[in-house]
Amino acid sequence: MASALGAQVAAVAPIGSDGRHYRSCSSLKGNNSCNKSWTGKLAWENKTLQPRHTKKVFCMYVQQASKSKCKVAIKPLELENTKEPPLNLYKPKGPYTASIVSVERIVGPKAPGETCHIVIDHGGNVPYWEGQSYGVIPPGENPKKPGAPNTVRLYSIASTRYGDSFDGRTASLCVRRAVYYDPETGKEDPSKKGICSNFLCDSKPGDKIQITGMQPCKKP
């Protein structure tokens, strides 16, 4: 469904009144095909079918340099069927060990401070709702309690429940690196830097991370 000149992809909705099921149609050089198994929601324009129903049509133009099939991510509908948010699936004494997928700086080189977008792979084992937070246990000992692990730090989850890969297996955090500058010398004091934020911002793909959750949703 592609060529060097580009392809046109259109999604047509709905098949039913609840607006959840859609069919997709593609058009390339006058050839039309439809796949009724596609599920998703994109931008649309409204056309009247019946007094209580509307037909929503979306057209997306994709420029592709080589021949390949266009794949559309399908969201896991079971994540929408839950009636209550998941709570306290993993606690500090029994955290879940997840993996770092990526760490990306998301501010410019002249920005005051550093903020990173961190993608965590939890394998679908630590689901969450929008507005909830993960607890992160940084490695090492608690400086105030020698021999004891570091305490949990809470971070609001930046991604939707579907995650960055839209499969319900990842979660994203946006973390600002916590550093301390001596007001007299103006120099950074590494001994007072944030333990967890620096651990997260310094992480590499494949690194393990211990997380707890879920914490209750924040009230507006």
Side-chain angles (χ1 to χ4, degrees):
M1 191 190 301
S3 70
L5 297 178
Q8 176 181 342
V9 181
V12 183
I15 305 173
S17 59
D18 62 352
R20 287 195 176 197
H21 301 289
Y22 301 77
R23 64 177 181 175
S24 65
C25 302
S26 64
S27 175
L28 179 62
K29 294 184 179 180
N31 296 325
N32 296 326
S33 62
C34 290
N35 177 12
K36 295 184 179 180
S37 64
W38 185 81
T39 305
K41 181 179 290 186
L42 300 170
W44 57 75
E45 66 181 37
N46 293 330
K47 293 184 179 180
T48 303
L49 281 180
Q50 297 177 3
R52 293 186 180 181
H53 299 80
T54 61
K55 182 178 181 181
K56 300 174 182 178
V57 181
F58 172 86
C59 291
M60 176 176 64
Y61 297 88
V62 183
Q63 297 293 332
Q64 295 175 321
S66 61
K67 294 183 179 180
S68 62
K69 292 184 179 180
C70 182
K71 296 182 179 180
V72 181
I74 307 300
K75 66 182 179 182
L77 292 178
E78 64 271 12
L79 295 179
E80 289 201 0
N81 294 333
T82 56
K83 296 182 180 180
E84 296 292 335
L87 296 174
N88 300 317
L89 299 180
Y90 293 91
K91 298 183 179 181
K93 292 185 178 181
Y96 179 81
T97 301
S99 299
I100 298 293
V101 176
S102 63
V103 177
E104 180 183 4
R105 179 186 172 101
I106 55 175
V107 294
K110 296 183 179 180
E114 180 182 16
T115 301
C116 294
H117 176 249
I118 302 162
V119 181
I120 300 171
D121 181 1
H122 58 79
N125 297 307
V126 196
Y128 55 89
W129 276 15
E130 295 79 4
Q132 289 188 298
S133 60
Y134 271 164
V136 177
I137 304 177
E141 292 186 353
N142 187 332
K144 296 181 180 180
K145 297 180 180 180
N150 276 307
T151 55
V152 176
R153 273 73 164 179
L154 297 180
Y155 292 92
S156 296
I157 300 174
S159 54
T160 68
R161 67 189 71 182
Y162 309 113
D164 283 56
S165 301
F166 214 57
D167 57 4
R169 298 175 61 86
T170 64
S172 294
L173 306 178
C174 288
V175 179
R176 180 183 173 89
R177 186 190 294 273
V179 294
Y180 176 82
Y181 289 91
D182 188 290
E184 294 183 359
T185 64
K187 295 182 178 181
E188 182 180 342
D189 185 350
S191 66
K192 297 182 180 180
K193 68 179 182 180
I195 296 175
C196 197
S197 65
N198 280 271
F199 159 69
L200 289 170
C201 292
D202 290 335
S203 295
K204 306 297 182 184
D207 287 353
K208 301 302 180 182
I209 174 176
Q210 291 189 318
I211 59 176
T212 66
M214 298 302 307
Q215 299 302 319
C217 295
K218 294 181 179 180
K219 295 182 180 180

